[in-house]
Amino acid sequence: MVGLASIYIWGFEGGADTESLAIDRGVAFQLTNILRDLREDAARGRTYLPREELTLLKVSEDDLRSARGGKAFSELMRFQIDRAEAYYQTSRSLEERIQRDSRATLVAMTQIYHKLLKKVAQEPERVLRERVSLSLLSKLMIGWRAARAK
């Protein structure tokens, strides 16, 4: 997991509790990526959402490949967005456990990914048409604020 590997690079305190927070943050990042890249991955024949959830919410892999939106797709996205948000929330105390000189990196990464998720949440079907991204200026501002907040 990227979250767990990262804290060993950055340095941390808090043992297993911090590792658990890092795993949750990594899952939040991964879910954000999965949702943002849904169309591109489906076009390559890859679906990273659990099949049981697709079945339960009546969305097929063909629906994803065909970029078919609608009510079922919106319900699937809301479920996944809420799940990702929950992981961001459960891991919110991670930053204070990371070595001070590495916190800005984690803060910037989190803000970028979380802002991407919020953009997806504003219009979930947008991921069927295009790759949702942040502007370079937005990313630079996030990085600048994170570096100053050290």
Side-chain angles (χ1 to χ4, degrees), residues 88-102:
Y88 282 109
Q89 289 307 309
T90 60
S91 66
R92 69 182 173 272
S93 64
L94 180 61
E95 282 78 4
E96 64 199 39
R97 296 170 182 229
I98 300 303
Q99 291 297 314
R100 191 174 252 326
D101 63 347
S102 296

Side-chain angles (χ1 to χ4, degrees), residues 48-64:
Y48 297 108
L49 295 174
R51 284 195 174 90
E52 308 81 47
E53 293 170 6
L54 292 171
T55 301
L56 178 69
L57 295 166
K58 297 178 175 60
V59 176
S60 70
E61 292 181 49
D62 187 54
D63 290 336
L64 298 178

Side-chain angles (χ1 to χ4, degrees), residues 17 20-29 31-32 80-97 110-111 113-115 117-118:
D17 288 341
S20 180
L21 294 172
I23 290 168
D24 285 355
R25 184 67 57 84
V27 171
F29 289 168
L31 279 170
T32 300
Q80 298 300 336
I81 290 164
D82 289 348
R83 173 184 278 166
E85 281 291 351
Y87 280 108
Y88 282 109
Q89 289 307 309
T90 60
S91 66
R92 69 182 173 272
S93 64
L94 180 61
E95 282 78 4
E96 64 199 39
R97 296 170 182 229
T110 300
Q111 288 179 0
Y113 277 88
H114 203 187
K115 202 167 185 178
L117 182 67
K118 288 183 181 303

Side-chain angles (χ1 to χ4, degrees), residues 85-145:
E85 281 291 351
Y87 280 108
Y88 282 109
Q89 289 307 309
T90 60
S91 66
R92 69 182 173 272
S93 64
L94 180 61
E95 282 78 4
E96 64 199 39
R97 296 170 182 229
I98 300 303
Q99 291 297 314
R100 191 174 252 326
D101 63 347
S102 296
R103 285 182 192 164
T105 302
L106 177 58
V107 167
M109 285 176 61
T110 300
Q111 288 179 0
I112 287 169
Y113 277 88
H114 203 187
K115 202 167 185 178
L116 276 170
L117 182 67
K118 288 183 181 303
K119 224 173 167 180
V120 168
Q122 287 174 347
E123 188 186 348
E125 287 195 15
R126 185 174 174 189
V127 300
L128 297 174
R129 297 187 306 273
E130 64 184 287
R131 188 166 210 245
V132 176
S133 62
L134 302 181
S135 69
L136 177 59
L137 179 59
S138 181
K139 289 187 251 185
L140 288 172
M141 289 299 296
I142 288 169
W144 181 77
R145 283 192 300 267

Side-chain angles (χ1 to χ4, degrees), residues 36-47:
R36 180 192 61 183
D37 298 342
L38 205 59
R39 178 183 57 89
E40 294 169 17
D41 291 337
R44 292 183 180 105
R46 300 182 190 132
T47 303

